[in-house]
Amino acid sequence: MDPIVKIDIPQRIECEFEPNNGIVLIQVLLNGRKRVFLLDSGAPFMTLNTRHVHPDHIEAGLLEFKGIGGSVQSARTRIKTFNWQGLKFRNSLVYAMDLSHLERELGVEFHGLLGYRELMHFTLNIDYKTNRLTLWREFNPTDFTVLARIPFVLHNHLPVIRANIGQRRVKLGLDSGAAINLLDINLLNSVDGFIPAKREEQLHGAGSTSVRVQHGKLSSTSIHGTEFNNMRVVWSDVSVIKQSLGDIDGLLGYEFLSRRRMAISFTDNCIYLIRRKRGKTSAPTAA
């Protein structure tokens, strides 16, 4: 079980972020110092990077997390203070694991990541055009024109959406920490409209090793009546993800999240596809 953390939750967060190949990097205050974190809704909870934690402050490993590229051992450590735009923890035990392989892949040092437990109180908008985040504690859909509503169900901490790829019905997890969409390699020969790339590429995940994967584009993916065309996708064995998150067929990441203006409501269990109402200048900023 994850450590119990008392959280101060603001009514609203607005801030800039730094994009890195589809990954969202934010600045936080960790023990009073400015640090870089990843915003990763696919992670269950806040996790520190052990590379930046003094060994004397790390407790013995407690959990094993499995994902693409293998498994990684977690430990625990205590933070004195944490503050991201008013989202605050004090004197709290949090998990920590070696994330140095992701640092190398991104080419940037970061001290940890924020996950679902910290985001579950909000509705989240990631504006990839202006590199701004908006999180609402109380989101009012009537402030916007709602073009569509995509419901999801939680598999543990992961929002799961039903979609159609051609005639194939699939269940896909929503993960802001995924730079590209991921599908189960076992579906490769049973979906329509896949346009393969000429070369394989390396895929990095929770584990410290990378795997070579086939990739390309899907001509069309239908999600509750909305078409998402020509999204990039990689194919890989997702059996380790299924072991912890149940029966899902893949993940939707940046390739999906950047295609429409979205408000991801972890409180309403749905994604609102939105646009700002004409002439409404006081509405909260949307992507």
Side-chain angles (χ1 to χ4, degrees):
M1 182 177 293
D2 55 310
I4 302 299
V5 177
K6 182 180 178 181
I7 306 176
D8 290 345
I9 306 170
Q11 287 298 309
R12 179 177 168 130
I13 293 174
E14 282 190 274
C15 68
E16 295 182 351
F17 69 86
E18 180 182 345
N20 187 314
N21 294 316
I23 302 299
V24 174
L25 303 177
I26 57 175
Q27 275 210 349
V28 307
L29 287 175
L30 178 64
N31 296 330
R33 296 184 177 183
K34 289 184 179 180
R35 301 301 191 197
V36 174
F37 269 54
L38 274 61
L39 193 74
D40 184 0
S41 67
F45 35 70
M46 176 180 173
T47 303
L48 297 189
N49 186 354
T50 53
R51 182 171 176 268
H52 303 291
V53 180
H54 194 283
D56 291 344
H57 298 159
I58 296 177
E59 298 181 5
L62 297 169
L63 291 178
E64 182 181 58
F65 291 91
K66 296 181 179 180
I68 301 299
S71 60
V72 59
Q73 292 287 337
S74 76
R76 291 201 303 185
T77 188
R78 186 172 294 278
I79 58 174
K80 296 178 181 178
T81 60
F82 175 89
N83 187 353
W84 178 51
Q85 304 291 323
L87 183 69
K88 298 178 182 179
F89 319 146
R90 301 177 186 86
N91 191 31
S92 301
L93 275 174
V94 298
Y95 281 109
M97 64 178 64
D98 184 7
L99 300 172
S100 58
H101 60 289
L102 293 179
E103 287 186 315
R104 292 190 295 270
E105 172 67 14
L106 295 174
V108 63
E109 289 189 348
F110 64 89
H111 280 67
L113 54 86
L114 288 187
Y116 168 76
R117 187 181 59 190
E118 291 74 48
L119 299 174
M120 64 183 285
H121 310 282
F122 296 101
T123 296
L124 167 67
N125 169 244
I126 307 174
D127 186 336
Y128 292 99
K129 293 183 179 179
T130 63
N131 299 334
R132 291 192 64 83
L133 293 170
T134 307
L135 294 87
W136 299 270
R137 183 81 181 272
E138 296 179 2
F139 177 72
N140 185 359
T142 62
D143 286 337
F144 302 91
T145 298
V146 177
L147 306 176
R149 182 181 179 274
I150 301 173
F152 59 73
V153 296
L154 289 177
H155 286 203
N156 292 338
H157 65 278
L158 190 71
V160 175
I161 297 166
R162 291 188 178 273
N164 285 87
I165 305 173
Q167 298 301 311
R168 182 78 188 209
R169 188 78 162 165
V170 294
K171 292 185 286 188
L172 304 173
L174 187 68
D175 183 0
S176 69
I180 190 170
N181 296 344
L182 168 70
L183 283 176
D184 189 344
I185 188 66
N186 294 316
L187 300 178
L188 179 57
N189 296 319
S190 64
V191 300
D192 301 322
F194 174 59
I195 306 168
K198 293 181 178 180
R199 298 178 181 178
E200 293 183 336
E201 68 176 35
Q202 297 292 117
L203 179 64
H204 299 262
S208 59
T209 60
S210 61
V211 293
R212 296 189 66 82
V213 294
Q214 187 171 351
H215 69 109
K217 291 183 178 181
L218 289 173
S219 58
S220 180
T221 303
S222 178
I223 302 178
H224 286 271
T226 301
E227 297 294 324
F228 294 81
N229 299 322
N230 297 317
M231 290 196 297
R232 292 176 61 234
V233 62
V234 298
W235 302 85
S236 183
D237 180 4
V238 300
S239 57
V240 291
I241 298 177
K242 289 185 176 184
Q243 288 176 18
S244 58
L245 296 173
D247 184 23
I248 64 172
D249 300 302
L251 298 173
L252 293 171
Y254 166 77
E255 274 292 311
F256 168 72
L257 294 170
S258 61
R259 293 302 180 97
R260 298 286 192 279
R261 296 178 176 178
M262 299 185 186
I264 306 163
S265 179
F266 297 102
T267 55
D268 295 344
N269 285 0
C270 74
I271 301 172
Y272 298 99
L273 304 187
I274 58 174
R275 70 182 177 203
R276 255 192 286 184
K277 291 182 176 179
R278 291 183 179 180
K280 190 173 182 66
T281 59
S282 59
T285 303

